[in-house]
Amino acid sequence: MERLIEDIYRTQSRRVLATLIRLLGDFDRAEEALHDAFAAAARAWPRDGVPANPFGWLVSAGRFRAIDHIRRRSRFDMSVKDIEESLYGSFDETEIGDVELIEDDMLRLIFTCCHPAIPADSQMAMALREICGLTTEEIAHAFLVPAPTVAQRIVRAKNKIRSAKIPYEVPARDELPERLDRVLHVIYLVFNEGYSASSGDEIVRADLTSEAIRLARLLAGLLPHPDVSGLLALLLLQDSRRAARRRPGGGLILLANQDRSLWDHEKVREGLGRLDGAMRNGEVGIYTLQAAIAAEHARAEAPEKTDWRRIVGYYDLLLSAHSSPIAELNRAVAVAMVEGPEKGLQLVDAILQAGELENYHLAHSARADFLRRLGRKEAAIAAYEAALRLCQQAPEQAFLRNRISELSGAAER
């Protein structure tokens, strides 16, 4: 039962939270109610059994416990009575079963986190906290900033929502375009955290990748736009490889070694179709360019048939539109496939010397791979060890240890 409740928390807690925010009208109150609801489930479900609708049970339990907290913590004066009545009055039991309302709650949460009154860095930190459920430390690792900085950003965002009375809603259609870039970026971050979890025992968090794709579909219905189509294409093409990325025991399988028959070819077809539509409709955005890169891998029947020169060209376009050290790193890997590992090593060394990716384990891992391919075993081992010190995901840690072990054995011979 404990494992089941943990699974429901992992897959449903963010949606429960989004609905509680709508019903309770306050982020902090909703977060407290969420934890109270799961604590109640841990007590009641082993005794009474799991309810037919766990989501509805948790929402109801969290809401009523929020009301109980208000009663216990405050004198029953008029202000408290007003709060209590607003909580009761805003609730209709049928809302818990209203799929459209529940799905909209996640979009409401994203648009609230991305309100233009909130600073951009606070938007991203709050979105990853509230939508992905990441800890402050995990968000800090993702953004390569100190954990206290992330905590301050989240507090500032919540205070701004409260003080400015930012509405918890999807904006009117004419207001959507001005918020689009930030909302797309949040969905992209949600997917990335699911596709390659920043920490933990799993390579992929399918609950987050599926949620990101679902939200992108909802957004495409609200606002047909080439950038939305480009993002949805990217997510579908990337997610199509999910089943081939891990071994039965949970180990990591690199793209070049994946069994391509395990790829989800229905997602590939849809992704390519969405990409085609995005490429034909207006200016090509950064997500469309990334989707075009993913499409080159999807079209290749075998790793050696990948058109790496075209991929390098797409990275050049991407960097001209939006400079990013991560994109520079990915371009270096693609260049190495065209011009050899020595060129890739030069590019990665320059990126690391610039300092922005000094604490990013994949930069050191890429450098280690180039050194390994060049036969520089001792230097490769040192680079893999640097990557291992920075990596927080168990399957990637195991992969890096295996590389170090293989090279250490080769060096001894």
Side-chain angles (χ1 to χ4, degrees), residues 64 79 218 220 289 294 357 399:
F64 285 116
S79 61
L218 285 174
L289 286 169
L357 298 186
F399 173 83

Side-chain angles (χ1 to χ4, degrees), residues 144 325 328 348-360 364:
L144 308 178
E328 288 182 12
V348 170
D349 280 344
I351 292 168
L352 286 169
Q353 287 169 12
E356 288 186 87
L357 298 186
E358 184 180 359
N359 295 319
Y360 186 54
H364 294 278

Side-chain angles (χ1 to χ4, degrees), residues 48-247:
D48 304 332
V50 178
N53 179 5
F55 175 89
W57 192 100
L58 290 162
V59 170
S60 292
R63 177 179 165 274
F64 285 116
R65 276 162 179 75
I67 296 170
D68 288 341
H69 280 308
I70 292 170
R71 285 173 168 167
R72 286 199 303 269
R73 291 176 183 175
S74 306
R75 291 180 307 168
F76 195 72
D77 58 19
M78 185 56 69
S79 61
V80 175
K81 186 176 180 181
D82 288 344
I83 292 172
E84 186 187 59
E85 287 179 350
S86 72
L87 295 183
Y88 276 113
S90 64
F91 182 71
D92 180 347
E93 288 288 347
T94 61
E95 292 182 9
I96 292 179
D98 189 325
V99 174
E100 185 175 345
L101 257 182
I102 293 166
E103 288 187 343
D104 283 350
D105 282 339
M106 288 301 294
L107 274 183
R108 286 187 186 94
L109 182 54
I110 289 178
F111 276 102
T112 302
C113 291
C114 294
H115 194 280
I118 302 171
D121 55 0
S122 296
Q123 289 178 13
M124 297 303 105
M126 187 172 181
L128 289 176
R129 178 74 187 94
E130 306 301 337
I131 298 165
C132 297
L134 299 189
T135 66
T136 302
E137 290 73 19
E138 288 169 336
I139 299 168
H141 180 73
F143 282 108
L144 308 178
V145 297
T149 301
V150 171
Q152 290 169 2
R153 290 174 181 176
I154 294 172
V155 169
R156 283 200 301 268
K158 289 182 178 179
N159 288 340
K160 187 65 178 180
I161 290 170
R162 190 178 298 112
S163 63
K165 294 182 170 57
I166 292 173
Y168 184 66
E169 63 183 15
V170 175
R173 183 174 291 273
D174 60 349
E175 298 175 7
L176 289 173
E178 68 175 340
R179 303 235 206 133
L180 183 61
D181 285 349
R182 291 171 179 175
V183 171
L184 291 176
H185 188 50
V186 167
I187 296 174
Y188 177 72
L189 289 176
V190 172
F191 180 86
N192 280 353
E193 177 57 30
Y195 187 70
S196 184
S198 58
S199 62
D201 297 329
E202 296 292 333
I203 297 168
V204 173
R205 286 188 56 185
D207 56 314
L208 290 182
T209 59
S210 298
E211 182 67 10
I213 291 171
R214 189 184 68 80
L215 291 170
R217 289 190 192 280
L218 285 174
L219 190 58
L222 275 173
L223 184 67
H225 189 283
D227 287 345
V228 182
S229 296
L231 177 64
L232 183 52
L234 172 62
L235 305 192
L236 289 166
L237 290 168
Q238 293 283 73
D239 199 54
S240 69
R241 304 198 291 263
R242 186 203 312 164
R245 294 184 64 225
R246 64 186 300 274
R247 302 184 191 283

